[in-house]
Amino acid sequence: MNHSIHSLDRSTHLKIVVLALVAGIAVAAFGISARSNADYTQTAHVIKAGKPVVVTSSDAMVIR
């Protein structure tokens, strides 16, 4: 039993690297599949200004 990563042999280091690589690929694949149904089209939507609107509220207190 190895208690330190410095005392591990070559095969154990290889197992750790392979496990980390597989976990990284799994996380990346999950992230890509979660976004697969998103709409990636970039179209400009033009919003035209209408008439000016004044918003007031009679409930607000005015301190002068």
Side-chain angles (χ1 to χ4, degrees), residues 21-37 40:
L21 184 64
V22 169
I25 291 172
V27 168
F30 177 73
I32 291 171
S33 68
R35 292 182 50 107
S36 66
N37 57 358
Y40 293 114

Side-chain angles (χ1 to χ4, degrees), residues 4-28:
S4 174
I5 197 165
H6 297 292
S7 64
L8 299 179
D9 57 346
R10 184 188 272 302
S11 66
T12 308
H13 277 289
L14 183 63
K15 290 176 188 177
I16 292 171
V17 170
V18 169
L19 182 65
L21 184 64
V22 169
I25 291 172
V27 168

Side-chain angles (χ1 to χ4, degrees), residues 46-64:
V46 178
I47 300 173
K48 293 185 179 180
K51 294 181 180 178
V53 177
V54 177
V55 178
T56 60
S57 174
S58 61
D59 296 325
M61 289 181 52
V62 178
I63 300 173
R64 295 185 186 184

